[in-house]
Amino acid sequence: MKRYVITGGAGFIGSNIAATLLRQSDTDVVIVDDFSSGDWRNLIPLDCEVRAADCDDPHLLAEIAAGEYHGVFHEAAITDTTVMDQRRMVEVNTNAFKSLLEATAASSTRLVYASSAGTYGNSAAPNAIGRGEQPENIYGFSKLAMDRIASRFYARHHGGIVGLRYFNVYGPGEHHKHERNGNNTASMMLQLYMKAKAGEQLRLFKYGEQQRDFVYIRDVIDANLEAMNGTLSGVCNVGSGRARCFNDAVTILGDALGQSFDVEYFDNPFSFYQMHTEADLSETQRILDWQPTCTLETGMRDYIQRLELGQRGPLDGVHD
Ligand SMILES: NC(=O)c1ccc[n+]([C@@H]2O[C@H](COP(=O)([O-])OP(=O)(O)OC[C@H]3O[C@@H](n4cnc5c(N)ncnc54)[C@H](O)[C@@H]3O)[C@@H](O)[C@H]2O)c1
């Protein structure tokens, strides 16, 4: 039996990785989450051990260092990019990761962790590893600091470490982000869908031409599994490799729901705003045996179909 730890497993991406792993007959999963932003509802379909604990819980670190796990997926983090408490962000995101690096290095346990396209800030796209790494907020900095610490471990970490810089991920399992604390951090796809279903006016920053690399959760899960099964160490981008504009998302939503939307455009109130992100996948192809398979059209159609069927939780064997 291969036993994996998933930190942040009650969250969007962690619960999807768990659901996919648990489909395999020879695999077991332990989810470790402090429930600061994740949601127990994501865990309902997952028949595995769940622990409420910090991702650098001493008992967990001792188990990892003793070689009790086949691999660690580290998804836990403060994921609200508007949090400005610098010390807290670095403690939770960066310090805890260093402890996981040490524990996994001690037992040569493979470690796959979540980095972010936030490391690029507003640098010119396409965004490539080692170029334009100019984060614009403490969240992006905390992820860049993780990548830098990890690189110091590559040579002596015999299990290998892969950092995945996710771009804008969307898909089932992110409902908690829509609902939490009045601060909506869900993907644009879910936000637009919820507004459309509530019969509300769809609004975009002027004039909806901002471009993002949106990546569907199915591709993100596959990238994680490939990273775990590989042997190399490094950090690489996980995106669709193609930027699409906000207006495209509205058009695809309209097609999927059989509606046409009259968008209201308003001034963007943010002084910092990423205008164009797009993953350069050359380093990804070197490190991972993976490439994205979903376009914005196929990913959004799949997602909207599931939302229409009332499926909110992570992708799982039952609904796939
Ligand atoms: N969703 C995206 O578009 C995106 C983009 C770039 C990077 N990421 C990164 O991917 C990872 C997963 O993000 P997500 O979208 O699933 O977010 P999420 O908020 O849904 O999941 C994060 C999970 O980590 C848990 N957590 C937070 N601090 C913890 C701690 N100290 N110990 C244990 N658990 C803790 C939360 O309770 C939550 O369940 C994060 O590291 C995030 O920074 C996500």
Side-chain angles (χ1 to χ4, degrees):
M1 206 63 164
K2 288 182 187 161
R3 199 159 171 248
Y4 295 93
V5 171
I6 304 179
T7 71
F12 169 34
I13 298 171
S15 63
N16 273 286
I17 297 169
T20 303
L21 284 174
L22 287 166
R23 264 186 248 164
Q24 300 166 6
S25 54
D26 62 343
T27 302
D28 196 13
V29 167
V30 175
I31 283 176
V32 178
D33 201 295
D34 72 354
F35 292 90
S36 55
S37 69
D39 192 348
W40 59 273
R41 290 176 193 84
N42 280 339
L43 303 174
I44 294 172
L46 310 183
D47 184 3
C48 66
E49 183 182 334
V50 175
R51 287 186 206 165
D54 289 332
C55 57
D56 58 352
D57 172 63
H59 177 64
L60 174 70
L61 295 177
E63 286 179 346
I64 294 170
E68 291 187 20
Y69 297 99
H70 191 77
V72 176
F73 293 92
H74 177 51
E75 301 300 315
I78 295 178
T79 56
D80 182 345
T81 58
T82 63
V83 170
M84 292 298 150
D85 185 334
Q86 301 182 42
R87 178 174 177 154
R88 200 176 134 237
M89 187 71 88
V90 174
E91 276 175 357
V92 174
N93 291 6
T94 316
N95 294 4
F97 175 61
K98 169 110 186 289
S99 304
L100 278 169
L101 277 167
E102 281 162 352
T104 51
S107 55
S108 299
T109 303
R110 194 156 177 84
L111 173 62
V112 175
Y113 70 93
S115 182
S116 169
T119 51
Y120 298 114
N122 219 348
S123 304
N127 309 105
I129 303 296
R131 205 173 68 208
E133 288 157 343
Q134 295 287 340
E136 295 269 353
N137 56 25
I138 184 62
Y139 168 81
F141 174 76
S142 74
K143 293 287 180 178
L144 182 60
M146 287 172 70
D147 295 341
R148 287 175 173 163
I149 296 173
S151 71
R152 293 189 191 103
F153 275 76
Y154 292 164
R156 63 186 152 113
H157 194 301
H158 302 299
I161 313 155
V162 176
L164 302 176
R165 287 188 181 168
Y166 305 143
F167 280 63
N168 283 75
V169 190
Y170 64 99
E174 60 162 328
H175 258 83
H176 59 286
K177 297 188 176 202
H178 184 75
E179 288 156 356
R180 75 179 167 203
N181 308 333
N183 188 7
N184 196 339
T185 58
S187 70
M188 163 167 282
M189 286 72 220
L190 183 60
Q191 295 191 37
L192 290 171
Y193 173 83
M194 297 297 271
K195 274 193 186 302
K197 294 306 276 187
E200 291 172 21
Q201 171 77 52
L202 300 193
R203 301 176 80 227
L204 294 176
F205 297 146
K206 280 180 184 168
Y207 284 98
E209 282 146 1
Q210 303 84 346
Q211 292 193 299
R212 284 277 191 291
D213 188 323
F214 296 109
V215 58
Y216 193 43
I217 187 67
R218 189 184 296 285
D219 280 331
V220 173
I221 299 167
D222 289 346
N224 271 278
L225 300 189
E226 287 302 333
M228 184 55 76
N229 292 334
T231 52
L232 297 179
S233 288
V235 59
C236 61
N237 291 330
V238 173
S240 69
R242 193 171 163 214
R244 299 292 297 271
C245 72
F246 294 178
N247 287 325
D248 287 344
V250 173
T251 305
I252 297 168
L253 177 70
D255 288 347
L257 294 178
Q259 283 177 260
S260 101
F261 298 110
D262 209 6
V263 176
E264 180 189 324
Y265 295 102
F266 67 107
D267 289 323
N268 184 342
F270 297 109
S271 54
F272 161 66
Y273 200 75
Q274 288 178 304
M275 294 304 289
H276 182 179
T277 65
E278 184 169 294
D280 174 305
L281 296 176
S282 39
E283 183 67 357
T284 316
Q285 276 151 18
R286 189 186 72 79
I287 297 178
L288 299 188
D289 185 16
W290 170 87
Q291 49 189 7
T293 57
C294 300
T295 62
L296 189 61
E297 281 78 3
T298 58
M300 276 189 71
R301 252 186 254 129
D302 186 67
Y303 189 19
I304 293 164
Q305 210 169 30
R306 288 167 191 277
L307 290 169
E308 289 289 277
L309 292 170
Q311 294 169 7
R312 288 170 155 227
L315 296 180
D316 62 43
V318 180
H319 298 127
D320 272 357

